[in-house]
Amino acid sequence: MAFADNLPISESLGVFVGVAGFDWLTEGQAEPLKALAAALFAGFLIVLLRQRWKKRRRN
């Protein structure tokens, strides 16, 4: 299985839209850089957790 198959694209996009939408609703303007940073962090965290989970299931 290729690395690209394990990328959490939908989850990261959901975090981006959620953070940008929340900023827009609360502050009246969206901050795309803050939303992008949160989405990248969430995606990275999901990748790490999936790899750890797969290693545990193999053993």
Side-chain angles (χ1 to χ4, degrees):
M1 199 181 271
F3 179 72
D5 293 340
N6 294 326
L7 290 178
I9 302 295
S10 358
E11 293 92 341
S12 299
L13 185 60
V15 170
F16 176 80
V17 171
V19 170
F22 184 77
D23 280 345
W24 181 57
L25 287 173
T26 58
E27 299 173 7
Q29 62 183 7
E31 295 182 30
L33 292 178
K34 184 169 105 174
L36 182 63
L40 289 175
F41 179 73
F44 180 71
L45 187 64
I46 290 169
V47 167
L48 288 178
L49 291 174
R50 282 182 182 172
Q51 286 178 351
R52 184 177 178 189
W53 181 68
K54 284 182 181 181
K55 283 183 183 178
R56 282 189 173 180
R57 285 193 72 192
R58 284 186 207 150
N59 295 331

Short mmCIF file of all heavy atoms in Angstrom, two decimals:
data_model
loop_
_atom_site.label_atom_id
_atom_site.label_comp_id
_atom_site.label_asym_id
_atom_site.label_seq_id
_atom_site.Cartn_x
_atom_site.Cartn_y
_atom_site.Cartn_z
N MET A 1 0.84 -1.17 0.00
CA MET A 1 0.00 0.00 0.00
C MET A 1 0.89 1.24 0.00
O MET A 1 1.85 1.32 0.74
CB MET A 1 -0.89 -0.02 1.24
CG MET A 1 -2.08 0.86 1.10
SD MET A 1 -3.11 0.87 2.57
CE MET A 1 -4.19 -0.48 2.22
N ALA A 2 0.56 2.19 -0.82
CA ALA A 2 1.37 3.40 -0.94
C ALA A 2 1.09 4.36 0.21
O ALA A 2 0.04 4.29 0.86
CB ALA A 2 1.07 4.09 -2.26
N PHE A 3 2.06 5.24 0.45
CA PHE A 3 1.91 6.22 1.53
C PHE A 3 0.73 7.15 1.28
O PHE A 3 0.02 7.53 2.21
CB PHE A 3 3.20 7.04 1.66
CG PHE A 3 3.12 8.09 2.73
CD1 PHE A 3 3.13 7.73 4.07
CD2 PHE A 3 3.02 9.44 2.40
CE1 PHE A 3 3.05 8.69 5.06
CE2 PHE A 3 2.94 10.40 3.38
CZ PHE A 3 2.96 10.03 4.71
N ALA A 4 0.48 7.50 0.02
CA ALA A 4 -0.62 8.41 -0.31
C ALA A 4 -1.98 7.82 0.06
O ALA A 4 -2.93 8.56 0.30
CB ALA A 4 -0.58 8.78 -1.78
N ASP A 5 -2.07 6.50 0.10
CA ASP A 5 -3.34 5.87 0.49
C ASP A 5 -3.67 6.10 1.96
O ASP A 5 -4.81 5.99 2.36
CB ASP A 5 -3.28 4.37 0.23
CG ASP A 5 -3.22 4.04 -1.25
OD1 ASP A 5 -3.59 4.91 -2.06
OD2 ASP A 5 -2.79 2.93 -1.58
N ASN A 6 -2.65 6.39 2.76
CA ASN A 6 -2.85 6.56 4.20
C ASN A 6 -3.00 8.01 4.62
O ASN A 6 -3.13 8.29 5.80
CB ASN A 6 -1.69 5.93 4.97
CG ASN A 6 -1.65 4.44 4.80
OD1 ASN A 6 -2.68 3.80 4.69
ND2 ASN A 6 -0.46 3.89 4.76
N LEU A 7 -2.94 8.95 3.68
CA LEU A 7 -3.07 10.36 4.05
C LEU A 7 -4.52 10.70 4.40
O LEU A 7 -5.44 10.34 3.67
CB LEU A 7 -2.60 11.26 2.90
CG LEU A 7 -1.11 11.25 2.62
CD1 LEU A 7 -0.80 12.15 1.43
CD2 LEU A 7 -0.32 11.70 3.82
N PRO A 8 -4.72 11.39 5.50
CA PRO A 8 -6.09 11.71 5.94
C PRO A 8 -6.59 13.01 5.28
O PRO A 8 -6.74 14.04 5.93
CB PRO A 8 -5.93 11.87 7.44
CG PRO A 8 -4.53 12.37 7.61
CD PRO A 8 -3.74 11.70 6.52
N ILE A 9 -6.85 12.95 3.99
CA ILE A 9 -7.26 14.15 3.25
C ILE A 9 -8.61 14.66 3.74
O ILE A 9 -8.77 15.85 4.03
CB ILE A 9 -7.32 13.85 1.73
CG1 ILE A 9 -5.97 13.36 1.22
CG2 ILE A 9 -7.80 15.07 0.96
CD1 ILE A 9 -4.86 14.36 1.31
N SER A 10 -9.61 13.79 3.85
CA SER A 10 -10.94 14.26 4.26
C SER A 10 -10.95 14.79 5.68
O SER A 10 -11.60 15.79 5.95
CB SER A 10 -11.99 13.18 4.16
OG SER A 10 -11.56 12.01 3.68
N GLU A 11 -10.20 14.14 6.57
CA GLU A 11 -10.16 14.60 7.95
C GLU A 11 -9.48 15.97 8.04
O GLU A 11 -9.95 16.86 8.75
CB GLU A 11 -9.41 13.60 8.83
CG GLU A 11 -10.14 12.28 8.99
CD GLU A 11 -9.72 11.24 7.96
OE1 GLU A 11 -9.16 11.62 6.91
OE2 GLU A 11 -9.96 10.05 8.20
N SER A 12 -8.39 16.15 7.31
CA SER A 12 -7.68 17.43 7.32
C SER A 12 -8.53 18.53 6.71
O SER A 12 -8.56 19.66 7.22
CB SER A 12 -6.36 17.31 6.55
OG SER A 12 -5.52 16.37 7.14
N LEU A 13 -9.22 18.21 5.63
CA LEU A 13 -10.10 19.20 5.01
C LEU A 13 -11.24 19.58 5.95
O LEU A 13 -11.61 20.74 6.05
CB LEU A 13 -10.66 18.66 3.69
CG LEU A 13 -11.51 19.60 2.87
CD1 LEU A 13 -10.71 20.84 2.48
CD2 LEU A 13 -12.03 18.91 1.64
N GLY A 14 -11.76 18.60 6.67
CA GLY A 14 -12.81 18.87 7.65
C GLY A 14 -12.34 19.77 8.77
O GLY A 14 -13.06 20.69 9.20
N VAL A 15 -11.12 19.55 9.25
CA VAL A 15 -10.56 20.41 10.30
C VAL A 15 -10.36 21.82 9.76
O VAL A 15 -10.69 22.81 10.43
CB VAL A 15 -9.23 19.83 10.85
CG1 VAL A 15 -8.54 20.83 11.74
CG2 VAL A 15 -9.49 18.54 11.58
N PHE A 16 -9.85 21.94 8.54
CA PHE A 16 -9.64 23.26 7.93
C PHE A 16 -10.95 24.03 7.83
O PHE A 16 -11.04 25.19 8.25
CB PHE A 16 -9.00 23.12 6.54
CG PHE A 16 -8.84 24.43 5.83
CD1 PHE A 16 -7.79 25.27 6.13
CD2 PHE A 16 -9.75 24.83 4.85
CE1 PHE A 16 -7.63 26.48 5.48
CE2 PHE A 16 -9.61 26.04 4.21
CZ PHE A 16 -8.54 26.86 4.52
N VAL A 17 -11.97 23.40 7.27
CA VAL A 17 -13.27 24.07 7.12
C VAL A 17 -13.88 24.39 8.47
O VAL A 17 -14.45 25.47 8.66
CB VAL A 17 -14.22 23.20 6.27
CG1 VAL A 17 -15.63 23.74 6.27
CG2 VAL A 17 -13.69 23.09 4.85
N GLY A 18 -13.73 23.48 9.42
CA GLY A 18 -14.29 23.72 10.75
C GLY A 18 -13.64 24.89 11.47
O GLY A 18 -14.32 25.74 12.04
N VAL A 19 -12.31 24.94 11.43
CA VAL A 19 -11.60 26.04 12.11
C VAL A 19 -11.87 27.37 11.40
O VAL A 19 -12.14 28.39 12.04
CB VAL A 19 -10.08 25.75 12.19
CG1 VAL A 19 -9.31 26.96 12.66
CG2 VAL A 19 -9.83 24.56 13.10
N ALA A 20 -11.81 27.37 10.07
CA ALA A 20 -12.08 28.60 9.32
C ALA A 20 -13.51 29.07 9.54
O ALA A 20 -13.77 30.27 9.73
CB ALA A 20 -11.81 28.38 7.83
N GLY A 21 -14.45 28.15 9.54
CA GLY A 21 -15.86 28.50 9.77
C GLY A 21 -16.10 29.02 11.18
O GLY A 21 -16.84 29.98 11.38
N PHE A 22 -15.47 28.39 12.16
CA PHE A 22 -15.62 28.85 13.53
C PHE A 22 -15.05 30.26 13.70
O PHE A 22 -15.66 31.10 14.36
CB PHE A 22 -14.95 27.87 14.49
CG PHE A 22 -15.15 28.22 15.93
CD1 PHE A 22 -16.36 27.95 16.55
CD2 PHE A 22 -14.15 28.81 16.66
CE1 PHE A 22 -16.56 28.28 17.89
CE2 PHE A 22 -14.34 29.15 17.99
CZ PHE A 22 -15.54 28.88 18.61
N ASP A 23 -13.86 30.50 13.11
CA ASP A 23 -13.28 31.85 13.17
C ASP A 23 -14.20 32.87 12.51
O ASP A 23 -14.39 33.98 13.00
CB ASP A 23 -11.92 31.88 12.48
CG ASP A 23 -10.82 31.34 13.35
OD1 ASP A 23 -11.04 31.19 14.57
OD2 ASP A 23 -9.73 31.06 12.82
N TRP A 24 -14.75 32.50 11.39
CA TRP A 24 -15.62 33.41 10.65
C TRP A 24 -16.88 33.72 11.44
O TRP A 24 -17.33 34.87 11.49
CB TRP A 24 -15.96 32.81 9.30
CG TRP A 24 -16.82 33.67 8.45
CD1 TRP A 24 -16.57 34.94 8.04
CD2 TRP A 24 -18.09 33.33 7.92
NE1 TRP A 24 -17.60 35.41 7.28
CE2 TRP A 24 -18.55 34.44 7.19
CE3 TRP A 24 -18.88 32.20 7.98
CZ2 TRP A 24 -19.77 34.43 6.53
CZ3 TRP A 24 -20.09 32.19 7.32
CH2 TRP A 24 -20.52 33.31 6.60
N LEU A 25 -17.44 32.71 12.09
CA LEU A 25 -18.65 32.94 12.87
C LEU A 25 -18.39 33.75 14.14
O LEU A 25 -19.21 34.58 14.53
CB LEU A 25 -19.30 31.61 13.25
CG LEU A 25 -19.99 30.87 12.12
CD1 LEU A 25 -20.43 29.49 12.60
CD2 LEU A 25 -21.18 31.64 11.60
N THR A 26 -17.26 33.52 14.80
CA THR A 26 -17.01 34.19 16.07
C THR A 26 -16.35 35.56 15.90
O THR A 26 -16.66 36.49 16.64
CB THR A 26 -16.13 33.33 16.99
OG1 THR A 26 -14.91 33.04 16.34
CG2 THR A 26 -16.84 32.06 17.38
N GLU A 27 -15.44 35.69 14.93
CA GLU A 27 -14.69 36.94 14.77
C GLU A 27 -15.12 37.76 13.56
O GLU A 27 -14.68 38.89 13.40
CB GLU A 27 -13.19 36.63 14.67
CG GLU A 27 -12.64 35.95 15.90
CD GLU A 27 -11.20 35.50 15.73
OE1 GLU A 27 -10.59 35.85 14.69
OE2 GLU A 27 -10.70 34.81 16.62
N GLY A 28 -15.92 37.18 12.69
CA GLY A 28 -16.37 37.90 11.52
C GLY A 28 -15.42 37.80 10.33
O GLY A 28 -15.70 38.33 9.27
N GLN A 29 -14.30 37.13 10.50
CA GLN A 29 -13.37 36.90 9.39
C GLN A 29 -12.63 35.60 9.63
O GLN A 29 -12.33 35.24 10.77
CB GLN A 29 -12.38 38.05 9.25
CG GLN A 29 -11.48 38.24 10.45
CD GLN A 29 -10.57 39.45 10.27
OE1 GLN A 29 -10.71 40.20 9.34
NE2 GLN A 29 -9.65 39.62 11.19
N ALA A 30 -12.34 34.91 8.56
CA ALA A 30 -11.62 33.64 8.67
C ALA A 30 -10.13 33.89 8.58
O ALA A 30 -9.68 34.79 7.86
CB ALA A 30 -12.06 32.70 7.55
N GLU A 31 -9.38 33.12 9.32
CA GLU A 31 -7.92 33.18 9.26
C GLU A 31 -7.43 31.89 8.62
O GLU A 31 -7.28 30.87 9.29
CB GLU A 31 -7.33 33.35 10.65
CG GLU A 31 -7.70 34.65 11.32
CD GLU A 31 -7.06 34.80 12.67
OE1 GLU A 31 -5.97 34.24 12.89
OE2 GLU A 31 -7.66 35.46 13.52
N PRO A 32 -7.18 31.92 7.30
CA PRO A 32 -6.82 30.67 6.61
C PRO A 32 -5.49 30.08 7.06
O PRO A 32 -5.33 28.86 7.04
CB PRO A 32 -6.79 31.06 5.14
CG PRO A 32 -6.73 32.53 5.10
CD PRO A 32 -7.28 33.04 6.38
N LEU A 33 -4.53 30.89 7.47
CA LEU A 33 -3.25 30.34 7.91
C LEU A 33 -3.40 29.57 9.22
O LEU A 33 -2.79 28.51 9.40
CB LEU A 33 -2.21 31.45 8.05
CG LEU A 33 -1.76 32.10 6.74
CD1 LEU A 33 -0.76 33.21 7.02
CD2 LEU A 33 -1.16 31.06 5.82
N LYS A 34 -4.20 30.10 10.12
CA LYS A 34 -4.45 29.40 11.38
C LYS A 34 -5.21 28.10 11.12
O LYS A 34 -4.89 27.06 11.70
CB LYS A 34 -5.25 30.30 12.32
CG LYS A 34 -5.49 29.71 13.69
CD LYS A 34 -6.04 30.75 14.63
CE LYS A 34 -7.50 30.53 14.86
NZ LYS A 34 -8.08 31.43 15.86
N ALA A 35 -6.18 28.15 10.22
CA ALA A 35 -6.94 26.95 9.88
C ALA A 35 -6.05 25.93 9.18
O ALA A 35 -6.15 24.72 9.43
CB ALA A 35 -8.13 27.32 8.99
N LEU A 36 -5.16 26.38 8.31
CA LEU A 36 -4.24 25.47 7.62
C LEU A 36 -3.29 24.81 8.60
O LEU A 36 -3.03 23.61 8.51
CB LEU A 36 -3.46 26.22 6.54
CG LEU A 36 -2.49 25.40 5.71
CD1 LEU A 36 -3.24 24.35 4.91
CD2 LEU A 36 -1.71 26.31 4.78
N ALA A 37 -2.78 25.59 9.54
CA ALA A 37 -1.86 25.03 10.55
C ALA A 37 -2.58 23.97 11.39
O ALA A 37 -2.01 22.91 11.66
CB ALA A 37 -1.32 26.15 11.44
N ALA A 38 -3.80 24.24 11.78
CA ALA A 38 -4.56 23.26 12.57
C ALA A 38 -4.85 22.01 11.75
O ALA A 38 -4.76 20.89 12.27
CB ALA A 38 -5.86 23.89 13.06
N ALA A 39 -5.18 22.17 10.48
CA ALA A 39 -5.47 21.02 9.62
C ALA A 39 -4.22 20.17 9.40
O ALA A 39 -4.28 18.94 9.43
CB ALA A 39 -6.03 21.49 8.29
N LEU A 40 -3.07 20.81 9.18
CA LEU A 40 -1.83 20.06 8.98
C LEU A 40 -1.44 19.31 10.25
O LEU A 40 -1.01 18.16 10.20
CB LEU A 40 -0.70 21.00 8.55
CG LEU A 40 -0.81 21.55 7.13
CD1 LEU A 40 0.30 22.55 6.88
CD2 LEU A 40 -0.76 20.43 6.12
N PHE A 41 -1.59 19.95 11.39
CA PHE A 41 -1.28 19.29 12.66
C PHE A 41 -2.21 18.11 12.90
O PHE A 41 -1.76 17.03 13.30
CB PHE A 41 -1.37 20.29 13.82
CG PHE A 41 -1.09 19.67 15.15
CD1 PHE A 41 0.20 19.31 15.50
CD2 PHE A 41 -2.12 19.42 16.04
CE1 PHE A 41 0.47 18.70 16.73
CE2 PHE A 41 -1.87 18.83 17.26
CZ PHE A 41 -0.57 18.47 17.61
N ALA A 42 -3.49 18.29 12.64
CA ALA A 42 -4.44 17.20 12.83
C ALA A 42 -4.14 16.04 11.88
O ALA A 42 -4.19 14.87 12.27
CB ALA A 42 -5.87 17.69 12.62
N GLY A 43 -3.82 16.35 10.62
CA GLY A 43 -3.47 15.31 9.66
C GLY A 43 -2.23 14.55 10.06
O GLY A 43 -2.17 13.32 9.97
N PHE A 44 -1.21 15.25 10.54
CA PHE A 44 0.02 14.63 10.99
C PHE A 44 -0.25 13.73 12.19
O PHE A 44 0.25 12.60 12.27
CB PHE A 44 1.04 15.71 11.35
CG PHE A 44 2.35 15.18 11.84
CD1 PHE A 44 3.22 14.55 10.97
CD2 PHE A 44 2.71 15.32 13.16
CE1 PHE A 44 4.43 14.04 11.42
CE2 PHE A 44 3.92 14.83 13.62
CZ PHE A 44 4.78 14.18 12.75
N LEU A 45 -1.07 14.20 13.11
CA LEU A 45 -1.42 13.41 14.29
C LEU A 45 -2.19 12.15 13.90
O LEU A 45 -1.94 11.07 14.44
CB LEU A 45 -2.24 14.27 15.26
CG LEU A 45 -2.55 13.67 16.61
CD1 LEU A 45 -1.25 13.45 17.39
CD2 LEU A 45 -3.45 14.60 17.38
N ILE A 46 -3.08 12.26 12.96
CA ILE A 46 -3.86 11.10 12.51
C ILE A 46 -2.95 10.07 11.85
O ILE A 46 -3.08 8.86 12.08
CB ILE A 46 -4.99 11.55 11.56
CG1 ILE A 46 -6.06 12.31 12.33
CG2 ILE A 46 -5.60 10.35 10.85
CD1 ILE A 46 -7.07 13.00 11.47
N VAL A 47 -1.99 10.53 11.03
CA VAL A 47 -1.05 9.61 10.39
C VAL A 47 -0.24 8.86 11.45
O VAL A 47 -0.07 7.63 11.37
CB VAL A 47 -0.12 10.37 9.41
CG1 VAL A 47 1.05 9.51 8.99
CG2 VAL A 47 -0.89 10.83 8.19
N LEU A 48 0.25 9.57 12.45
CA LEU A 48 1.03 8.92 13.51
C LEU A 48 0.20 7.91 14.28
O LEU A 48 0.66 6.80 14.58
CB LEU A 48 1.60 9.96 14.46
CG LEU A 48 2.73 10.83 13.93
CD1 LEU A 48 3.15 11.84 14.98
CD2 LEU A 48 3.90 9.98 13.51
N LEU A 49 -1.02 8.27 14.62
CA LEU A 49 -1.88 7.35 15.37
C LEU A 49 -2.26 6.12 14.56
O LEU A 49 -2.33 5.02 15.09
CB LEU A 49 -3.13 8.08 15.86
CG LEU A 49 -2.89 9.12 16.95
CD1 LEU A 49 -4.18 9.88 17.24
CD2 LEU A 49 -2.34 8.48 18.20
N ARG A 50 -2.48 6.29 13.26
CA ARG A 50 -2.80 5.14 12.40
C ARG A 50 -1.62 4.19 12.30
O ARG A 50 -1.78 2.97 12.35
CB ARG A 50 -3.19 5.61 11.00
CG ARG A 50 -4.58 6.13 10.90
CD ARG A 50 -4.91 6.52 9.49
NE ARG A 50 -6.24 7.08 9.39
CZ ARG A 50 -6.71 7.65 8.30
NH1 ARG A 50 -5.96 7.74 7.21
NH2 ARG A 50 -7.92 8.14 8.28
N GLN A 51 -0.42 4.74 12.17
CA GLN A 51 0.76 3.89 12.08
C GLN A 51 0.96 3.11 13.38
O GLN A 51 1.29 1.93 13.36
CB GLN A 51 2.00 4.72 11.78
CG GLN A 51 2.06 5.21 10.35
CD GLN A 51 3.28 6.07 10.09
OE1 GLN A 51 4.00 6.44 11.01
NE2 GLN A 51 3.50 6.40 8.84
N ARG A 52 0.77 3.78 14.50
CA ARG A 52 0.93 3.12 15.80
C ARG A 52 -0.12 2.03 15.97
O ARG A 52 0.18 0.94 16.45
CB ARG A 52 0.81 4.16 16.90
CG ARG A 52 1.06 3.61 18.26
CD ARG A 52 1.02 4.70 19.29
NE ARG A 52 1.23 4.12 20.61
CZ ARG A 52 1.07 4.77 21.72
NH1 ARG A 52 0.73 6.04 21.70
NH2 ARG A 52 1.27 4.19 22.87
N TRP A 53 -1.36 2.31 15.56
CA TRP A 53 -2.44 1.35 15.68
C TRP A 53 -2.16 0.12 14.81
O TRP A 53 -2.39 -1.01 15.21
CB TRP A 53 -3.75 2.02 15.31
CG TRP A 53 -4.94 1.12 15.40
CD1 TRP A 53 -5.48 0.61 16.54
CD2 TRP A 53 -5.73 0.64 14.33
NE1 TRP A 53 -6.57 -0.17 16.22
CE2 TRP A 53 -6.75 -0.16 14.87
CE3 TRP A 53 -5.69 0.83 12.96
CZ2 TRP A 53 -7.70 -0.78 14.08
CZ3 TRP A 53 -6.64 0.21 12.18
CH2 TRP A 53 -7.63 -0.59 12.75
N LYS A 54 -1.66 0.35 13.58
CA LYS A 54 -1.37 -0.76 12.68
C LYS A 54 -0.24 -1.64 13.23
O LYS A 54 -0.27 -2.85 13.08
CB LYS A 54 -1.01 -0.25 11.29
CG LYS A 54 -2.22 0.22 10.52
CD LYS A 54 -1.83 0.67 9.13
CE LYS A 54 -3.05 1.16 8.38
NZ LYS A 54 -2.70 1.58 7.02
N LYS A 55 0.77 -1.03 13.85
CA LYS A 55 1.86 -1.80 14.43
C LYS A 55 1.36 -2.68 15.57
O LYS A 55 1.77 -3.82 15.71
CB LYS A 55 2.97 -0.89 14.94
CG LYS A 55 3.82 -0.34 13.84
CD LYS A 55 4.94 0.51 14.42
CE LYS A 55 5.75 1.13 13.30
NZ LYS A 55 6.81 2.00 13.84
N ARG A 56 0.46 -2.16 16.38
CA ARG A 56 -0.09 -2.93 17.49
C ARG A 56 -0.94 -4.09 17.00
O ARG A 56 -0.97 -5.15 17.60
CB ARG A 56 -0.93 -2.05 18.41
CG ARG A 56 -0.11 -1.22 19.33
CD ARG A 56 -1.00 -0.57 20.34
NE ARG A 56 -0.19 0.11 21.34
CZ ARG A 56 -0.68 0.76 22.34
NH1 ARG A 56 -2.00 0.86 22.49
NH2 ARG A 56 0.10 1.35 23.21
N ARG A 57 -1.68 -3.88 15.92
CA ARG A 57 -2.55 -4.94 15.40
C ARG A 57 -1.73 -6.07 14.79
O ARG A 57 -2.16 -7.20 14.77
CB ARG A 57 -3.49 -4.38 14.35
CG ARG A 57 -4.61 -3.58 14.98
CD ARG A 57 -5.69 -3.30 14.01
NE ARG A 57 -6.43 -4.54 13.74
CZ ARG A 57 -7.30 -4.66 12.76
NH1 ARG A 57 -7.53 -3.67 11.95
NH2 ARG A 57 -7.94 -5.80 12.56
N ARG A 58 -0.56 -5.75 14.25
CA ARG A 58 0.29 -6.80 13.66
C ARG A 58 0.84 -7.73 14.73
O ARG A 58 1.04 -8.90 14.49
CB ARG A 58 1.47 -6.16 12.91
CG ARG A 58 1.08 -5.59 11.60
CD ARG A 58 2.31 -5.11 10.87
NE ARG A 58 1.94 -4.04 9.96
CZ ARG A 58 2.71 -3.06 9.62
NH1 ARG A 58 3.93 -2.98 10.06
NH2 ARG A 58 2.29 -2.13 8.80
N ASN A 59 1.14 -7.18 15.89
CA ASN A 59 1.76 -7.98 16.96
C ASN A 59 0.78 -8.72 17.77
O ASN A 59 -0.21 -8.99 17.87
CB ASN A 59 2.57 -7.09 17.90
CG ASN A 59 3.75 -6.50 17.16
OD1 ASN A 59 4.25 -7.09 16.23
ND2 ASN A 59 4.17 -5.34 17.60
#
